[in-house]
Amino acid sequence: MAEKLGVYVCSGCGIGEALDVEALCNVSTKDGKIAVRKNHAFLCGEEGAAIIKGDIESEGIDGVVIAACSPRVKVDVFQYDPPVFVERVNIREHVIWCHPANDEDTQMLAEDYLRMGCARAQKAVVPEPYSEEIDKTVLVVGGGITGMTAALEAAKAGYEVRLVEKESALGGMLNKLHKLYPKTPPYRDLEDTGLEARIKEIEDNPKIKVFTGTEIEKTEGAPGMYDVTLKNGETLRIGSIIQATGFKLYDAAKL
Ligand code: SF4
């Protein structure tokens, strides 16, 4: 909830040719608590960005309303440390790119969007993240080549991994294959499956704990805080789940 608002209107990207930027900048808001109103021809440029930063420091602004382009662009330019709240009002894509230039209704539309942006900056509350409760353990369901690769890559990225395989050993379909199709140039010879080396890599990795001969009984909770119960009775606290449960061969007789 910003107490002191700064409103900045950009006239770049054709906005200045399509709207009365001066009038837009001075738009009246319901409770009129706007401390600074400025417009600039290139708000995302060095000078424009410095003006906003300077006002935050010197005027104590805690809410910045920027009427310019889409909030999806220039995110890095218009980013300020908390508690400064940023509200982007999209008068480029949502107003001047899709409505006639220098038209009374187009101007009113931009002004309404700006009023709504100011109201949001004054009333919105930034929610507190639940970061302490979030668990980052990754559950991989399925110990075939896909699941094993996912488990190893997640562990390499620094995550704890729980790998569940319903059979008594890892490997999945690879256990049934003698060789694999050629994967390296000159693509003439069949290749080893590399299964044993892959399983050893999993077993040697301290971040990966393997559960074989069991399946998922039930999953409760939400992303970041799942409680997953296995058929062997164990319950795991899990942050995210990778489903790698394999495939069934298609019945070619149907073709
Ligand atoms: S990209 Fe956005 S901030 Fe930069 S000049 Fe265009 S409308 Fe203004």
Side-chain angles (χ1 to χ4, degrees), residues 72-125:
R72 292 184 178 197
V73 297
K74 306 290 175 190
V75 179
D76 51 331
V77 180
F78 302 122
Q79 203 167 51
Y80 311 99
D81 293 335
V84 178
F85 184 91
V86 183
E87 175 64 15
R88 300 279 301 272
V89 179
N90 187 356
I91 56 167
R92 187 178 71 172
E93 285 86 337
H94 285 177
V95 179
I96 66 142
W97 279 5
C98 50
H99 294 275
N102 301 307
D103 182 273
E104 191 186 354
D105 286 342
T106 308
Q107 180 76 21
M108 286 200 309
L109 184 62
E111 291 179 8
D112 277 349
Y113 272 131
L114 184 52
R115 282 190 197 97
M116 287 191 277
C118 292
R120 185 158 187 259
Q122 283 161 337
K123 295 188 192 306
V125 179

Side-chain angles (χ1 to χ4, degrees), residues 10-13 15 41-45 68-69 73-74 78 88 92:
C10 184
S11 57
C13 290
I15 295 170
F42 186 30
L43 212 47
C44 60
C69 41
V73 297
K74 306 290 175 190
F78 302 122
R88 300 279 301 272
R92 187 178 71 172

